[in-house]
Amino acid sequence: MVWFYLSPQLSKRHKFPPFFGREAGDMTGAGAEDDIPLGERKTVTDFCYLLDKSKQLFNGLRDLPQYGHKQWQSYFGRTFDVYTKLWKFQQQHSRQVLDNRYGLKRWQIGEVASKIGQLYYHYYLRTSETSYLNEAFSFYSAIRQRSYYYQVNKEDRPELVVKKLRYYARYIVVCLLLNKMDLVKVLVKELSEEIEDYTQRFNTEDQLEWNLVLQEVAAFVEADPVVVLNDENTVVFTSNRLQEGGVPQLEQGMVVGQLTLADALIIGNCNNQVKFSELTIDMFRILQALEREPVNLATTTSKPGTLEPSEKPAKRENPHKYLLYKPTFSQLYTFLSASFKVSLQLSPRCVSLHLSPVRKTRLCDGPYDFGGVLTNTNRDVVNGETVQKRNQAQKEMHCLHPGDLFPFTRKPLFVIVDSSNSTAYKNFTNLFGQPLVCLLSPTVYPKSMQDQSQRGSLFTLFLYCPLLAFLSVCGLSSLRQGLWEKAEEFLHKVYRDIGQMITRSQAIDQAFLQFYGDEFLRLLLIRFVFCSATLRLHKLFRESRSFPESYPQLPKQDTVESSLLQKHVLELAAMLDVRSLFWDGTLDVNY
C-alpha cells in the first residue's frame, strides 16, 4: 500500500496546560484561572483531550501493517471515532470559548479537517472503496472554500506554510484519482504561487523538492496522448473506471466461472516514466481499470453548511489493491504472501507488473532461466536494462522470475506483465490445476511508439482505455467529443462480439472462462483481444514480438485473428479517417 505525502511530522506529543492550548495567549493576573466559568473550563479541557488523543492515534497509523485486514481495521475505527467527536465538538461549542480560552486559530481547524481528509484517503487505499475518495475530497474542498489556511502566510512560521503546501499536494492527488483535471490545473497554479511566496519569504532548502512536485503533477496531467475537445475547443476529461453498462453482460446459458476478483497487486518499477508521488502513470491506469465509478459524489453534504464524517459503506464494490512503487523483492514477496493468506480458496488475485526487464542468461528451459522483471535494487539500470556484474551462471537475485510465482498458483491467479521481457512468463507451468492466465505485453514497439514510453506503455493504455490507445497508435492527438462518443458506442458493440468469441470458442482454454465471470477481468480480457487484433492489422507493427501474447495461448482464429473482429477494427479506422494505416488482410470490407 502506498501512502502519498504522508502527514507532516507532528511535534512530539505536547501536554496541554489544564485549561489552555499551546497557542493560547498568556494569562494576566495570578487569579485569572479562577475567573473562568466552570463550563468554559470543561469545554477547553475536553477539546484538549480530544485533540491530543486524535494526534496520538493518527501518529500510530504509520506503525500499522500495510497488508491484511484484521490488524488495522479496528485501529482505523477508533481513529475515525475520535476525529468525528473532535470535529463535531468544535462545531457545536461556542467558538468564542475556544478562541478566547484556548486560542484556537482557523489554520488549526484546517489541520483537523486535513487529517480527516487523510484518514479517508488512506482508508480508500486500504479498502479500494472509491466512496472514501469522495469523502476526502469533500473535506479538502471545504478547507479551500473556507480559507482555513489563509492566515498562515501572514505568520513568520515556515513550518505552518509547509502544512499548507502539503495540504495542496494531498488535495491534488485526490483530484487526480477522481479525474477532476480542471480543478487539478487550478490547484497546481495556486500551489505554484504558494511555493514562490514561501521560497521568497524563507531561506529554505526544500525549494527544489517543491518545484519537482509541480513538474511531476504537470507531466502527469499531460500524460494522455490524445485530448477530447467539445464545440468550444475546451478539453473534455473522461473517466475510465468501470461504469454501469460498461461491460458486456453474460448471456443466458453462458458457462463461465463464478470467481470474483478479491485482491490486486499493482507494481511499478519502470525508469523514466511519468509519476506523481509514488504512483506511475501505468499504475494509475491499471488502478482505475480495477475500480467502479463512484456513485455518490460527496461534493455536497447531507446538511447545508455542515461537514461531517459519514458512515462506512456496507458493500465492497472494488477488489482490494496493494500499490507498490519500486518494491524490493522481499517487500513484493511479503505482499504476495499476505494476499495469498487472506484470500479465500476460490477468490482470484490479479498481479499487474510494470517493471524493467531482466534478460535470459543461459540456454536452459527452467522457470528461473528466462529472466523476468526487476524489483528495486541499488544496482545501475542503463536504458531500461540491468547492468550485469555477476557470474553469468548465477540467477538475478533481484528478479521476479516466473518460478517465483509458482507457489501462489495454488489459488486462481491472473497476471499482467508489461515489460520488454514479458515473454519470460510464457513459460509457466500450471502445477496445481487452478485457473491461471497471464496477459503479456509486446516486447518490441515501432520506434515512433518508443518515443512515447515516458507517457506510459501502449499495452497498459489499451487495457485502460482502448479508444485512447487506438487513437494514439494512429498518431491522432485530438478528437471531437461527438466523434469520440460515436466511436465509444461502436466499441461497446465490438466488446459484445469479442465476449461471444471467447465464450463460444470450442478451442479456448477453460482458464479464460473461469475468470470471465468477474466483470473487471472480463473487461481486461476483452480489451486484450481488441489490442492484439488492432496491432496485428496496423502497418507499423511488423514483427511478431510487437504483438501481445498470453498464457495459455488464445485460439487465434476464434479471437485475435477473427475475420469479424478484423472487420470491426477496419470499420473503426474508417470512422476515424485512419483506414490507410491498416492492412486489408484477406477481408472484403464494405463501408
Side-chain angles (χ1 to χ4, degrees):
M1 194 66 65
V2 181
W3 286 48
F4 301 94
Y5 288 98
L6 200 60
S7 64
Q9 185 169 353
L10 301 171
S11 58
K12 294 181 181 179
R13 178 184 173 187
H14 64 266
K15 299 184 180 302
F16 292 103
F19 307 113
F20 302 99
R22 183 174 56 176
E23 301 296 332
D26 295 332
M27 291 295 295
T28 57
E33 290 186 12
D34 296 333
D35 297 335
I36 301 175
L38 185 60
E40 293 184 6
R41 290 190 190 188
K42 187 176 187 310
T43 296
V44 174
T45 302
D46 291 347
F47 179 78
C48 290
Y49 169 79
L50 289 173
L51 186 63
D52 197 28
K53 187 67 176 177
S54 67
K55 290 185 177 183
Q56 292 177 45
L57 290 170
F58 192 92
N59 286 340
L61 294 175
R62 299 178 221 181
D63 300 325
L64 295 179
Q66 297 178 347
Y67 43 80
H69 302 293
K70 294 181 180 179
Q71 298 96 323
W72 57 264
Q73 280 185 327
S74 60
Y75 191 95
F76 253 95
R78 293 199 305 274
T79 309
F80 267 116
D81 288 343
V82 170
Y83 270 97
T84 300
K85 292 176 182 177
L86 177 62
W87 186 254
K88 290 182 177 180
F89 190 93
Q90 63 87 21
Q91 284 183 321
Q92 294 169 355
H93 288 79
S94 170
R95 185 59 51 81
Q96 184 177 0
V97 174
L98 292 177
D99 285 357
N100 295 338
R101 303 302 185 187
Y102 174 76
L104 185 66
K105 299 184 179 180
R106 287 188 64 76
W107 68 262
Q108 291 175 303
I109 301 174
E111 273 294 282
V112 174
S114 180
K115 291 292 193 301
I116 296 174
Q118 290 177 66
L119 280 176
Y120 278 122
Y121 173 69
H122 295 323
Y123 206 74
Y124 154 74
L125 289 178
R126 288 177 178 265
T127 64
S128 298
E129 290 285 3
T130 46
S131 57
Y132 291 120
L133 268 181
N134 287 319
E135 294 294 342
F137 174 81
S138 68
F139 274 86
Y140 286 146
S141 178
I143 292 171
R144 179 168 172 262
Q145 291 171 0
R146 301 177 187 182
S147 303
Y148 282 136
Y149 283 114
Y150 178 74
Q151 297 292 332
V152 162
N153 290 35
K154 297 183 180 180
E155 299 198 28
D156 191 27
R157 295 176 59 185
E159 71 274 12
L160 295 185
V161 181
V162 169
K163 289 178 184 290
K164 185 176 184 178
L165 299 182
R166 290 180 185 243
Y167 150 73
Y168 267 105
R170 297 188 189 102
Y171 192 10
I172 288 171
V173 170
V174 169
C175 290
L176 283 173
L177 290 169
L178 288 173
N179 293 297
K180 297 180 182 293
M181 297 302 181
D182 288 332
L183 180 54
V184 167
K185 292 182 178 180
V186 174
L187 294 175
V188 169
K189 184 175 183 297
E190 293 180 6
L191 176 59
S192 177
E193 293 171 352
E194 294 289 344
I195 291 174
E196 184 177 357
D197 178 72
Y198 167 64
T199 54
Q200 286 179 356
R201 290 175 56 206
F202 305 102
N203 185 18
T204 62
E205 299 179 355
D206 55 356
Q207 179 179 359
L208 292 178
E209 295 176 15
W210 284 111
N211 287 334
L212 180 60
V213 169
L214 289 175
Q215 294 171 14
E216 285 187 350
V217 69
F220 208 94
V221 172
E222 301 296 329
D224 282 353
V226 182
V227 295
V228 181
L229 302 173
N230 61 18
D231 294 338
E232 287 76 35
N233 277 343
T234 302
V235 176
V236 177
F237 295 101
T238 59
S239 173
N240 291 290
R241 284 190 172 92
L242 181 60
Q243 302 190 29
E244 193 71 27
V247 60
Q249 297 301 303
L250 297 176
E251 296 181 2
Q252 192 168 5
M254 276 187 179
V255 180
V256 297
Q258 301 300 312
L259 300 175
T260 300
L261 182 61
D263 286 310
L265 285 83
I266 303 174
I267 302 118
N269 191 24
C270 291
N271 294 285
N272 302 320
Q273 191 175 97
V274 169
K275 73 175 188 71
F276 183 48
S277 185
E278 295 188 342
L279 190 70
T280 68
I281 191 65
D282 279 352
M283 293 172 66
F284 172 80
R285 287 169 175 165
I286 291 295
L287 169 72
Q288 300 246 315
L290 294 176
E291 289 183 348
R292 299 180 191 277
E293 187 66 21
V295 177
N296 299 316
L297 294 177
T299 53
T300 60
T301 54
S302 56
K303 297 179 182 179
T306 65
L307 191 67
E308 296 181 1
S310 65
E311 295 296 323
K312 181 171 69 173
K315 180 184 177 184
R316 171 182 287 181
E317 295 290 340
N318 303 309
H320 174 251
K321 290 178 286 296
Y322 299 103
L323 305 177
L324 303 177
Y325 176 65
K326 292 193 173 182
T328 63
F329 179 83
S330 61
Q331 288 171 333
L332 175 53
Y333 224 64
T334 297
F335 279 85
L336 280 168
S337 302
S339 175
F340 181 87
K341 178 180 179 181
V342 301
S343 64
L344 300 175
Q345 180 62 34
L346 296 180
S347 296
R349 283 148 299 121
C350 174
V351 178
S352 185
L353 303 169
H354 307 264
L355 306 168
S356 300
V358 177
R359 300 295 184 187
K360 180 176 180 177
T361 56
R362 292 194 301 166
L363 297 177
C364 301
D365 294 326
Y368 288 87
D369 294 318
F370 292 92
V373 291
L374 185 68
T375 57
N376 195 12
T377 169
N378 292 328
R379 295 166 62 179
D380 297 329
V381 175
V382 179
N383 295 327
E385 299 285 348
T386 312
V387 177
Q388 303 292 336
K389 300 177 181 177
R390 57 182 169 77
N391 187 326
Q392 292 296 306
Q394 297 173 341
K395 309 301 180 189
E396 170 54 65
M397 66 190 311
H398 298 286
C399 173
L400 183 71
H401 298 271
D404 292 322
L405 295 179
F406 281 8
F408 305 106
T409 61
R410 289 175 169 85
K411 294 180 182 180
L413 186 63
F414 192 97
V415 182
I416 300 169
V417 184
D418 194 342
S419 171
S420 57
N421 192 34
S422 61
T423 51
Y425 293 81
K426 284 197 309 184
N427 305 288
F428 252 113
T429 302
N430 194 341
L431 299 176
F432 304 104
Q434 292 294 322
L436 172 63
V437 165
C438 299
L439 305 184
L440 310 173
S441 71
T443 57
V444 173
Y445 289 101
K447 288 187 177 180
S448 60
M449 302 295 164
Q450 294 173 5
D451 296 339
Q452 301 295 318
S453 59
Q454 284 189 338
R455 301 171 74 175
S457 161
L458 179 66
F459 179 66
T460 294
L461 190 62
F462 265 104
L463 298 182
Y464 165 69
C465 180
L467 181 54
L468 202 62
F470 191 92
L471 294 169
S472 177
V473 84
C474 293
L476 298 176
S477 59
S478 64
L479 195 70
R480 289 292 170 186
Q481 186 177 7
L483 187 53
W484 171 277
E485 292 171 353
K486 180 181 178 183
E488 280 280 28
E489 184 178 353
F490 176 76
L491 275 178
H492 286 310
K493 299 176 182 177
V494 177
Y495 297 163
R496 182 194 61 203
D497 288 344
I498 294 175
Q500 292 176 350
M501 294 173 195
I502 293 173
T503 56
R504 295 178 183 180
S505 172
Q506 298 297 312
I508 198 165
D509 192 284
Q510 289 297 305
F512 292 102
L513 300 181
Q514 288 294 314
F515 289 120
Y516 194 81
D518 180 84
E519 287 190 329
F520 293 107
L521 300 182
R522 185 188 318 161
L523 199 54
L524 288 176
L525 287 172
I526 289 172
R527 289 171 173 175
F528 174 83
V529 172
F530 177 76
C531 170
S532 188
T534 297
L535 300 188
R536 287 168 190 273
L537 284 178
H538 200 288
K539 291 180 179 179
L540 286 179
F541 292 77
R542 299 177 181 178
E543 299 184 55
S544 60
R545 294 184 300 164
S546 296
F547 307 146
E549 297 192 57
S550 66
Y551 171 89
Q553 287 191 4
L554 284 165
K556 291 184 174 61
Q557 293 301 317
D558 293 346
T559 56
V560 298
E561 294 181 359
S562 158
S563 59
L564 176 60
L565 181 52
Q566 289 179 336
K567 179 176 181 291
H568 285 330
V569 171
L570 297 179
E571 287 174 337
L572 179 61
M575 181 188 300
L576 299 170
D577 198 24
V578 290
R579 175 64 181 77
S580 61
L581 299 177
F582 294 85
W583 300 108
D584 284 332
T586 59
L587 299 177
D588 180 16
V589 181
N590 296 316
Y591 297 107

